[in-house]
Amino acid sequence: MGKAEDTKARIERAALVLFVARSVAETTTREIALAASIAEGTIYRHFPSKEQLALDLFLRHHRALAEALDEAQRPHPSLREKIEAIVRCYCDWADRDWTLFAYHLLNQHAFLARVPDDAPNPVAVVHNVIDRAMTAGEIPRRDVGLAAAAAIGVVLQPATYKVYGRFEGPLAAHTGFFADAAWAVLAVTEK
Amino acid sequence: MGKAEDTKARIERAALVLFVARSVAETTTREIALAASIAEGTIYRHFPSKEQLALDLFLRHHRALAEALDEAQRPHPSLREKIEAIVRCYCDWADRDWTLFAYHLLNQHAFLARVPDDAPNPVAVVHNVIDRAMTAGEIPRRDVGLAAAAAIGVVLQPATYKVYGRFEGPLAAHTGFFADAAWAVLAVTEK
DNA sequence: ATTAAATAAGTGAGCAATCGCTTATTTTCA
DNA sequence: TGAAAATAAGCGATTGCTCACTTATTTAAT
């Protein structure tokens, strides 16, 4: 890694940690520089603005997660297996870099509107998988967005509570339960 | 309502709308004053600081929601009925004042750590209900926090996506599905 | 009941501090 | 040696909050 690239990576990591501990708005460029052991002006050699740095961080992770989830589900034929693959991939992703994961989770409301329409999207991946399973008759047909949201919530809410400090240990420890529960949600038949 | 109380309420409502549209950090006291049609200094006759105003707003709603959920579930004997009552109460609460609901949802990570330990807590209500149902043998015994989080996610994730603008219409329209899905999550038996 | 005194509520110009970002200068290294 | 990278000082703008003052409401005294 060249020196410039190393500096850029240090800025990104320092910013990430501070953005999660406080928030983007409450983190100053001076703090980022101090944490990255560089001068404040150096940030602007690598990023046009603090907001763009925050957005870059979000979008890169957003796209990479979507691609990883899509690759994970693709080889499997049945919805049940796709769910397991997606859940496992998601938990591994979160455990591998928890700070980055937490940043992505806590700042969706700020950046989701700025994701390009054609960019890979984690929710769209799940949405498509569920839609095809409904068409194939694997699960009952209902509002896809609603079903996807509820199934995603089964995994995302525990993850959120781990960010809040309510849980310890790796998220992947509960992969089995998450997959079973997500499947149960999708298989619900209105009584 | 006295004049002073009316002013205080106007400040709170103006702040709430701006806090949701932007964020607490990105909303200025000048904007709040302008939106509430009062002088900036008047804010400080009613609140010691912008942060305390934001915290007051959060804590009051947090407590009221917890009490409403607890009252809703109390009269019902079975878990299945308690779930339905809690889901219905929660959806009605959200639909009744969506701005306040969105504010509470989007700022949990900022304020949850500042909730007094003995204060009523929406998650604790669900937690207790599930714990008792496990003890009574109504559902399989497993980590209560995890089961509660997953069940809550079934409702909260769709609600979050509605805040993001992915859904339209009242949340209460899906009460039946939410209750069925939450029940399905809790009834999951590890295979 | 009337007036005087006291308190509370409301105002808005302005302050000290801080912010994101720029620029002139120095260092690094191929 | 020249361009890229990093630095440190600093600029204009904005921020939360204060404060001296005015206006409205409540309490007390005659």
Side-chain angles (χ1 to χ4, degrees), chain B residues 71-92:
Chain B
E71 279 180 36
Q73 66 81 25
R74 197 175 302 138
H76 300 282
S78 71
L79 176 61
R80 188 60 233 245
E81 288 170 290
K82 282 176 187 288
I83 289 174
E84 272 174 36
I86 286 174
V87 168
R88 177 167 294 111
C89 176
Y90 188 82
C91 291
D92 286 346

Side-chain angles (χ1 to χ4, degrees), chain B residues 18-80:
Chain B
L18 290 167
F19 287 168
V20 171
R22 298 217 216 306
S23 69
V24 174
E26 288 164 340
T27 298
T28 69
T29 50
R30 288 191 222 296
E31 288 176 308
I32 296 170
L34 186 67
S37 302
I38 48 104
E40 199 180 351
T42 305
I43 295 171
Y44 294 89
R45 294 286 178 207
H46 298 275
F47 303 94
S49 69
K50 187 182 80 165
E51 276 305 310
Q52 190 64 46
L53 160 58
L55 182 61
D56 279 4
L57 244 23
F58 181 87
L59 289 182
R60 190 194 315 156
H61 179 249
H62 196 69
R63 164 183 282 270
L65 176 61
E67 286 170 350
L69 292 178
D70 204 31
E71 279 180 36
Q73 66 81 25
R74 197 175 302 138
H76 300 282
S78 71
L79 176 61
R80 188 60 233 245

Side-chain angles (χ1 to χ4, degrees), chain A residues 17-183:
Chain A
V17 171
L18 289 166
F19 287 168
V20 171
R22 299 217 214 302
S23 70
V24 174
E26 287 163 341
T27 298
T28 71
T29 50
R30 281 167 182 51
E31 287 177 310
I32 296 170
L34 185 69
S37 302
I38 49 105
E40 197 181 350
T42 304
I43 295 171
Y44 293 89
R45 292 213 62 82
H46 298 274
F47 302 93
S49 69
K50 187 182 81 166
E51 276 305 310
Q52 190 64 45
L53 160 58
L55 182 60
D56 279 3
L57 244 24
F58 181 87
L59 288 182
R60 189 194 314 156
H61 179 249
H62 195 70
R63 162 182 282 271
L65 176 60
E67 287 169 352
L69 291 179
D70 203 31
E71 279 179 35
Q73 66 83 24
R74 197 175 302 136
H76 299 283
S78 70
L79 175 62
R80 190 58 234 245
E81 288 170 292
K82 283 177 187 291
I83 289 174
E84 271 173 36
I86 286 175
V87 167
R88 177 169 293 109
C89 176
Y90 187 82
C91 290
D92 286 347
W93 195 273
D95 290 332
R96 194 178 311 132
D97 188 345
W98 186 259
T99 307
L100 184 56
F101 173 79
Y103 175 69
H104 182 255
L105 202 58
L106 295 175
N107 290 280
Q108 289 196 35
H109 67 287
F111 295 125
L112 226 44
R114 303 185 60 181
V115 176
D117 287 337
D118 57 337
N121 183 321
V123 175
V125 171
V126 176
H127 198 281
N128 288 339
V129 165
I130 292 174
D131 197 29
R132 290 202 201 91
M134 283 182 182
T135 303
E138 290 185 89
I139 51 172
R141 156 100 26 220
R142 62 161 54 83
D143 182 287
V144 187
L146 190 66
I152 289 169
V154 164
V155 184
L156 230 127
Q157 198 62 35
T160 303
Y161 285 173
K162 202 197 153 188
V163 173
Y164 294 168
R166 282 171 134 108
F167 290 127
E168 309 242 319
L171 208 61
H174 311 293
T175 303
F177 170 64
F178 291 151
D180 289 343
W183 167 263

